[in-house]
Amino acid sequence: MDLLANLGLGFDVALTPVNVLYCFVGVLLGTLVGVLPGIGPTGTVAILLPITFTLEPVTALIMLAGIYYGAQYGGSTSAILINLPGESSSAVTAIDGHQMARQGRAGQALVTAAVGSFFAGSVATLVLAVAAPPLTRIALQFGSAEYFSLIVLGLVASVALAHGSIIKALAMIVLGLLFGMVGQDLYSGQPRFTFGYFELYSGINFVSMAVGVFGVAEILRNLEDEATRSVLVKKIERLWLSKEDIRRIIMPILRATGLGSALGILPGGGHVLASFASYSLEKKLSRNEAEFGKGAIEGVAGPESANNAAAQTSFIPLMTLGIPAHPVMALIIGAFIIHGITPGPNVIRDEPALFWGVIVSMWVGNLLLLILNLPLVGLWVRMLTIPYRVLFPAIITFACIGTYSIGSNAFDIYAIALLGLVGYVLVKLDCEPAPLLLGFVLGPLLEEHLRRAMIISRGDPMTFIERPISAALLAVAVIAIVLSLMPAIRRKREEVFVEED
């Protein structure tokens, strides 16, 4: 009964006209950035973060969440139509989706992606609604030692699941932790790593970091690939499925929904891992294995359902523990903090309308995606023909205006430019910037809980081992890093990410 009452509160909040409007804006923008192979959902959320400051917290979070899971769907459109994924988790969809388009079956591929995304997103949102309250009650029992160990586990898992070299991912985590230490010491007030700049006394601006490392760096990278984009798709016809198509996609959608819901909570790239794991599973189980890579409809249904389910359940660690599963969740944590809300288990108790309103808005958003995207396929195709060199000046200008409007501080604009160059250099060195942002967001929390736990234990480091939950979390972190370094696991991991590229 409590669940029904809470969902009722959520529907009251999510269905207010202003929240429905911003949910619509979020999923529309998310689909747009997913369709256009450009800055992606992380950069878009970073760039749009400043405009949410004037909104109510629940409205801002509904819009930002809509951008994220809208991009999961939008990425499939460009993957199917032009063999160029707009979002990393849609890379595997391009394998069979584009082959279907070349065979004149783009309509069926797009419908399959839409139906799978809607079903998986809806079920995963129900999983989130059911799982969040008990997990929150468990999290309320955590002390500083447990939170420290949990953050360590999150950072280790993000390293293990990061794209490319584990050593480089670990280096990005450390660099992010160092960036997070800039500013005044939490307890003594002593400035650290400020180099005499008064503007750095309060730390590096979160929005400048996000916009620079993800937005500007991704724009610079995409300018290099402008010449490789071409739209070859034929006119899209037959936006419906035959009985045989329906029979073939039912079980892949069901299996992928369960798989994606489970993998979505993993830190790092759970949604990417889910789509590739689903594709591998369907290829092994399908009676039509020979069709995979040549236009198998199961190769679209499974991955698209998995990555959308994972997109919803990635909110579980965010909403219950205050721990981001990947960079977009880190940005949403930033939105919580900017609006004066401390993310974590207390949100469900202190801000129940916000907590349940955001969850229920995901159902609303998934319905809007289903209604919106199929009728607008023609629009998305035309959008793909816009030269990127026309888009990027407007994107950068908008980002700079939004960032400057927060504190009217020109230093933040300089920081965007500098951090954008840093992000671009990291990309060119094959260093994924996602762990850097996670380290930047979680670094201050890691330091705070480490020092608080040591103060409570009077300087005894054994407190992290003597407390059972803390010890278990640290043990899982050690196992994760050992497994990721094992030769067989490393080879399999490299195969997955090479396939993604």
Side-chain angles (χ1 to χ4, degrees):
M1 292 301 294
D2 286 343
L3 178 61
L4 293 178
N6 290 329
L7 290 177
L9 172 62
F11 276 107
D12 286 342
V13 174
L15 293 179
T16 58
V18 66
N19 287 338
V20 171
L21 172 63
Y22 278 96
C23 184
F24 170 81
V25 171
V27 298
L28 186 65
L29 287 173
T31 304
L32 177 62
V33 301
V35 168
L36 292 173
I39 60 174
T42 307
T44 304
V45 170
I47 289 168
L48 293 179
L49 202 56
I51 71 169
T52 66
F53 298 162
T54 58
L55 303 176
E56 291 295 318
V58 64
T59 305
L61 292 168
I62 284 173
M63 189 183 83
L64 294 174
I67 292 171
Y68 172 55
Y69 56 80
Q72 303 303 310
Y73 175 83
S76 67
T77 302
S78 58
I80 290 168
L81 297 182
I82 63 172
N83 199 28
L84 190 58
E87 217 281 324
S88 57
S89 59
S90 297
V92 72
T93 305
I95 299 172
D96 285 284
H98 187 60
Q99 289 300 318
M100 289 181 68
R102 291 172 64 89
Q103 297 163 14
R105 303 186 65 211
Q108 290 92 324
L110 291 168
V111 170
T112 300
V115 171
S117 298
F118 173 73
F119 177 81
S122 299
V123 171
T125 302
L126 179 61
V127 172
L128 170 59
V130 172
L135 285 175
T136 299
R137 286 193 289 271
I138 294 172
L140 287 171
Q141 307 303 314
F142 280 26
S144 287
E146 287 80 7
Y147 265 110
F148 169 81
S149 301
L150 180 64
I151 294 169
V152 169
L153 173 59
L155 293 174
V156 166
S158 70
V159 168
L161 294 174
H163 185 289
S165 165
I166 290 179
I167 299 300
K168 289 181 178 179
L170 185 60
M172 290 300 96
I173 287 284
V174 173
L175 183 59
L177 292 173
L178 291 174
F179 277 135
M181 293 178 66
V182 173
Q184 290 177 296
D185 180 85
L186 182 67
Y187 290 93
S188 69
Q190 184 73 19
R192 305 181 300 188
F193 306 116
T194 59
F195 303 103
Y197 288 98
F198 178 76
E199 292 87 351
L200 291 176
Y201 273 45
S202 57
I204 296 174
N205 183 285
F206 174 79
V207 177
S208 296
M209 169 67 76
V211 173
V213 172
F214 283 94
V216 174
E218 190 69 12
I219 286 170
L220 294 173
R221 187 186 68 81
N222 276 280
L223 286 173
E224 295 180 348
D225 302 329
E226 174 67 17
T228 65
R229 188 186 310 176
S230 61
V231 179
L232 304 172
V233 70
K234 305 172 184 177
K235 183 178 179 181
I236 297 172
E237 299 174 343
R238 290 186 58 202
L239 286 172
W240 68 83
L241 299 174
S242 66
K243 289 183 180 179
E244 175 63 13
D245 289 335
I246 294 172
R247 183 191 66 78
R248 289 178 61 175
I249 68 172
I250 287 176
M251 290 310 297
I253 288 176
L254 292 175
R255 285 190 290 263
T257 299
L259 184 64
S261 297
L263 294 178
I265 63 174
L266 294 177
H271 60 304
V272 178
L273 183 63
S275 62
F276 280 93
S278 174
Y279 187 83
S280 299
L281 178 65
E282 295 309 319
K283 190 173 181 179
K284 290 179 181 178
L285 297 179
S286 177
R287 298 175 182 175
N288 308 293
E289 183 178 350
E291 291 185 24
F292 276 76
K294 302 176 183 177
I297 196 168
E298 297 93 336
V300 176
E304 280 304 300
S305 301
N307 74 42
N308 277 272
Q312 314 294 321
T313 56
S314 63
F315 282 85
I316 290 177
L318 170 70
M319 302 291 278
T320 60
L321 301 170
I323 303 296
H326 50 74
V328 176
M329 297 297 109
L331 293 170
I332 292 178
I333 278 188
F336 268 98
I337 295 170
I338 289 165
H339 282 281
I341 300 169
T342 302
N346 289 322
V347 173
I348 192 172
R349 182 188 64 194
D350 300 339
E351 302 282 349
L354 180 146
F355 186 92
W356 293 104
V358 171
I359 289 177
V360 170
S361 75
M362 296 179 190
W363 274 313
V364 178
N366 277 284
L367 181 60
L368 288 172
L369 282 170
L370 186 65
I371 295 171
L372 276 174
N373 283 289
L374 293 178
L376 294 178
V377 165
L379 173 62
W380 304 136
V381 173
R382 286 192 292 273
M383 291 292 293
L384 287 168
T385 64
I386 299 175
Y388 196 71
R389 63 181 179 275
V390 174
L391 292 174
F392 87 86
I395 295 171
I396 291 181
T397 301
F398 182 77
C400 290
I401 291 173
T403 304
Y404 181 78
S405 67
I406 301 171
S408 300
N409 189 350
F411 186 84
D412 295 337
I413 307 300
Y414 300 138
I416 288 177
L418 178 60
L419 291 168
L421 290 174
V422 170
Y424 178 69
V425 170
L426 293 177
V427 169
K428 299 302 291 182
L429 293 174
D430 291 326
C431 295
E432 187 183 6
L436 185 151
L437 186 62
L438 291 176
F440 178 73
V441 171
L442 293 177
L445 291 173
L446 184 75
E447 180 187 12
E448 178 183 351
H449 288 298
L450 170 64
R451 295 175 68 173
R452 187 180 297 168
M454 293 296 286
I455 290 171
I456 292 172
S457 66
R458 298 187 179 183
D460 183 8
M462 292 303 294
T463 185
F464 299 106
I465 306 299
E466 292 169 350
R467 298 174 71 94
I469 296 177
S470 175
L473 292 170
L474 290 176
V476 173
V478 171
I479 292 170
I481 201 71
V482 170
L483 287 176
S484 65
L485 292 173
M486 290 177 64
I489 301 293
R490 289 183 67 179
R491 281 196 301 270
K492 188 65 178 176
R493 177 179 175 275
E494 288 167 4
E495 287 173 9
V496 167
F497 286 117
V498 167
E499 190 178 349
E500 178 187 339
D501 294 334

